[in-house]
Amino acid sequence: MAEKRKRKIDDECRQFQEEWSLKYFFIKSGEKALSAICNETVAVMKVYNMRRHHQSKHQEKYVQLEGKVRSEKKI
């Protein structure tokens, strides 16, 4: 019987997307994605994780920021 090989995050080539900075207020810090608002990192650099963090922790405060105001607020 063949052995199953476990997937590794490094094998999936996950890379930080610049659009996440504007949409979800995340920045790249080393090899991690860091929330510019609360300085928490997400486990895996995926858009789902960024969106879930932003919606669950910062949505109410930053939902009204749009366009130029949002890009100025970005750190």
Side-chain angles (χ1 to χ4, degrees):
M1 190 163 134
E3 272 186 56
K4 284 189 175 182
R5 182 174 166 243
K6 289 191 175 184
R7 292 184 341 175
K8 292 186 179 180
I9 294 169
D10 295 339
D11 294 343
E12 297 180 13
C13 300
R14 303 219 186 267
Q15 294 184 354
F16 186 81
Q17 305 293 318
E18 291 300 321
E19 67 185 42
W20 296 341
S21 294
L22 185 59
K23 281 184 169 181
Y24 309 118
F25 296 102
F26 270 87
I27 58 174
K28 185 176 181 184
S29 177
E31 295 299 316
K32 302 251 182 192
L34 178 72
S35 172
I37 298 170
C38 65
N39 292 327
E40 288 185 21
T41 59
V42 293
V44 179
M45 228 182 289
K46 291 172 38 174
V47 70
Y48 171 79
N49 292 338
M50 312 288 175
R51 183 176 51 239
R52 184 183 64 208
H53 173 88
H54 180 72
Q55 288 175 345
S56 66
K57 299 193 179 205
H58 310 299
Q59 182 74 22
E60 291 178 14
K61 187 172 182 181
Y62 294 97
V63 71
Q64 73 277 8
L65 298 178
E66 291 186 11
K68 188 175 180 181
V69 176
R70 189 174 187 96
S71 64
E72 289 172 355
K73 191 74 168 177
K74 181 181 80 165
I75 296 175

